[in-house]
């Protein structure tokens, strides 16, 4: 009997039990809230942004989404023959610039830290060019061929340029394409396609 | 005097072209400029009611162009600011009633007497817009921060650039700071990244605009309205001032309310 009395003394009162239940519920709620915050779905704004990016690229030409993806892949393969290209770091875009459309595809080649050191702190002149004049000419020719299989191009319009920064190199190439891809069938459009250096 | 002609357009309808035209025009005239607003939305006249001038219409744009009246006869003087006039659209005609050459000729005539001529054009890339575009030196594109409006804005921007106008400037209207903060509305940066045009203004969603429409008094006349403040800043930028973008804040209860009630007027950049 004494034992029982002892146990009863130690046992929590009804009020204490109620508090405990309340507490655990609050904890559950807090846990739920924390979970909600951290497990939030991707913000719908990002969704909108990436969907628009894709649909606008298509709007800006008369090409289908598939053809554009195809072109993008071709450009990656083409450039990879000349410079190290990370396919995730190629950004292709088509924009109106002045009276013509411009397709841009940004290629960034990151430099290893030791390459940067050897570079002597931003002394770009001493760095070797990624592309020799001969290779540049070859890239131009290949671009005309590749992009030319998607849209009409002005012959001799391809340009290639590389720019050196302390941490990376940007490769800039461009070519102009004769009409047919504009959104305005009345305007005799010229479209210039460029693979341009830029920000990521 | 050689005034500048602006066309105000959007791809999608109902995003705030007329609201922007009325308010930017009023704000410029409050700054002492001589301004004409042309409603080129033939058949869907609206600018007159937004400005509260619907009872003063005698002649309209089509009648001016057809030579039925002098342009001065069709210009309605604003009731609130000096040197602000509206040329109303014809309500009972269709868009084919005027050509781009005629709009251009009219604007060139108006340039001599006014600092700014704004053409509130119909949404989209139809003839009405082309008419306005060919007469204009500069373009303002209005969009809201939603996917459909931005996509359509992009098409219009492409058109404007192809027409050889300077790069259009963008007004982002009906921004809801709370939604932006929650990640449920695209940010200004997102939109500029997509459209690649210079930003002329960010205008918040604001109930005062609805009230102002009801009363026929543009919201720039209301110091309590954040949208009014945003439009005043747009006017300042058009005048070449370097004014910071309106800081959009999520409203937090009583303080914001008191500020609104008192009509607290924030300084507009460096100047009034
Ligand atoms: N910043 C804002 N806050 C709240 N309401 C707004 C805002 N801007 C516009 N509106 C409302 O949106 C509606 C459409 O605006 P408005 O008429 O200016 O658009 P529009 O682009 O000229 O349309 P349309 O294409 O039909 O000519 C109006 O009812 C207006 O009151
Ligand atoms: Mg309108």
């Amino acid at each position: 009997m004494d034992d029982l009395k002892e146990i009863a003394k130690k046992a929590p009162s009804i009020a204490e039990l109620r508090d405990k239940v309340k507490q655990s519920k609050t904890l559950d709620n807090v846990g739920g809230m924390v979970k909600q915050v951290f497990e939030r779905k991707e913000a719908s704004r990002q969704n909108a942004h990436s969907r628009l990016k894709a649909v606008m690229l298509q709007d800006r030409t008369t090409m289908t989404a598939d053809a554009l993806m195809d072109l993008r892949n071709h450009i990656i393969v083409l450039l990879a023959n000349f410079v190290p290209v990370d396919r995730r770091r190629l950004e292709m875009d088509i924009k109106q610039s002045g009276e013509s459309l411009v397709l841009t595809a940004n290629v960034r080649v990151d430099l290893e830290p030791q390459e940067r050191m050897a570079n002597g702190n931003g002394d770009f002149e001493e760095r070797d060019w990624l592309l020799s004049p001969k290779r540049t000419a070859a890239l131009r020719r290949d671009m005309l061929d590749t992009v030319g299989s998607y849209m009409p191009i002005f012959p001799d319009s391809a340009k290639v340029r590389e720019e050196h920064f302390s941490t990376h190199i940007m490769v800039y190439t461009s070519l102009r394409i004769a009409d047919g891809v504009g959104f305005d069938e009345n305007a005799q459009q010229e479209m210039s396609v460029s693979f341009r250096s830029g920000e990521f | 005097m050689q005034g500048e002609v602006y066309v105000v357009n959007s791809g999608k309808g109902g995003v705030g072209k007329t609201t922007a035209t009325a308010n930017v025009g009023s704000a410029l005239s409050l700054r002492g400029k001589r301004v004409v607003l042309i409603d080129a939305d033939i058949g869907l006249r609206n600018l007159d009611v937004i400005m509260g001038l619907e009872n003063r219409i005698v002649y309209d744009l089509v009648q001016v162009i057809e030579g039925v009246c002098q342009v001065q006869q069709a210009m309605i003087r604003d009731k609130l600011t000096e040197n602000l006039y509206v040329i109303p659209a014809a309500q009972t005609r269709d868009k084919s009633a005027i050509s781009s050459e005629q709009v251009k000729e009219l604007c060139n005539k108006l340039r001599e007497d006014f600092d700014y001529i704004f053409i509130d054009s119909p949404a989209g890339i139809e003839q009405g817009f082309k008419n306005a575009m060919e007469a204009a030196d500069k373009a303002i594109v209005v969009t809201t921060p939603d996917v459909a409006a931005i996509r359509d804005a992009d098409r219009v921007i492409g058109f404007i650039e192809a027409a050889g106008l300077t790069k259009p400037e963008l007004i982002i209207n009906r921004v809801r700071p709370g939604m932006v903060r929650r990640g449920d509305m695209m940010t200004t940066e997102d939109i500029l990244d997509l459209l690649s045009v210079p930003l002329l203004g960010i205008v918040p969603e604001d109930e005062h605009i609805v009230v102002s429409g009801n009363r026929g008094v543009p919201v720039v006349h209301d110091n309590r309205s954040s949208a009014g403040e945003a439009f005043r800043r747009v006017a300042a930028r058009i005048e070449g001032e370097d004014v910071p973008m309106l800081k959009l804040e999520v409203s937090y209860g009583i303080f914001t309310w008191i500020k609104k009630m008192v009509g607290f007027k924030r300084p507009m950049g460096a100047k009034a």
Side-chain angles (χ1 to χ4, degrees), chain A residues 24 27 29 42 47 52 54 58 61 91-92 99 117 130 157 181 191 196:
Chain A
S24 79
L27 278 177
N29 284 346
E42 183 191 27
N47 223 297
L52 267 176
Q58 203 184 327
T61 67
E91 231 182 48
M92 197 171 92
E99 291 184 28
M117 301 272 279
L130 275 181
S157 66
V181 280
M191 176 171 160
R196 197 190 58 179

Side-chain angles (χ1 to χ4, degrees), chain B residues 10 12-20 41 46 50 120-123 173-175 203-207 209-210 227 231:
Chain B
S10 66
K12 192 165 169 284
V15 297
K17 291 176 298 296
T18 302
T19 305
D41 203 346
N46 258 332
I50 295 297
D120 179 15
S121 72
N173 188 25
R174 308 195 78 155
V175 173
V203 182
E205 173 79 26
D206 184 355
E207 287 179 7
I209 295 227
V210 181
F231 282 124

Side-chain angles (χ1 to χ4, degrees), chain A residues 76-92:
Chain A
I76 291 170
V77 171
L78 160 79
L79 286 168
N81 289 332
F82 295 87
V83 292
V85 178
D86 177 346
R87 59 172 47 235
R88 283 159 313 177
R89 306 204 84 168
L90 179 104
E91 231 182 48
M92 197 171 92

Side-chain angles (χ1 to χ4, degrees), chain B residues 78-98:
Chain B
D78 186 45
K79 53 185 187 190
L80 292 166
T81 45
E82 256 186 89
N83 299 325
L84 176 61
Y85 296 84
V86 173
I87 300 178
Q91 186 68 329
T92 52
R93 301 289 295 271
D94 69 78
K95 287 168 190 145
S96 59
I98 53 175

Side-chain angles (χ1 to χ4, degrees), chain B residues 37-82:
Chain B
L37 311 177
I38 300 174
D39 190 345
D41 203 346
I42 313 262
L44 293 167
R45 167 159 97 199
N46 258 332
L47 189 58
D48 53 327
V49 277
I50 295 297
M51 299 289 296
L53 301 172
E54 68 275 16
N55 293 329
R56 305 186 185 187
I57 296 178
V58 182
Y59 295 107
D60 61 49
L61 178 63
V62 174
Q63 288 171 313
V64 172
I65 277 171
E66 288 179 342
V68 174
C69 65
Q70 293 294 309
V71 60
Q72 287 79 4
Q73 292 176 287
M75 293 197 314
I76 314 166
R77 180 199 282 270
D78 186 45
K79 53 185 187 190
L80 292 166
T81 45
E82 256 186 89

Side-chain angles (χ1 to χ4, degrees), chain A residues 40 43-46 48-49 51-53 55-56 59-60 93 95-100 183-184 186-187 189, chain B residues 130 146-147 150-151 154-155 157-159 161-164 167 182-187 190 193-196:
Chain A
R40 231 197 114 110
S44 69
R45 111 172 209 241
Q46 267 149 15
H49 184 258
R51 286 176 58 226
L52 267 176
K53 194 127 207 167
V55 78
M56 280 163 54
D59 284 350
R60 287 166 187 174
D93 203 354
K95 282 177 185 164
Q96 186 81 23
S97 167
E99 291 184 28
S100 54
F183 39 68
D184 183 3
N186 304 321
Q189 294 265 351
Chain B
K130 287 182 182 162
D146 61 275
V147 287
I150 291 168
R151 181 191 189 177
D154 187 55
R155 302 266 297 162
I157 289 167
F159 252 95
E161 292 191 336
K167 224 173 188 16
R182 286 202 303 277
D184 279 331
M185 184 171 270
M186 275 183 279
T187 63
D190 288 336
D193 172 61
L194 290 164
L195 297 176
S196 342

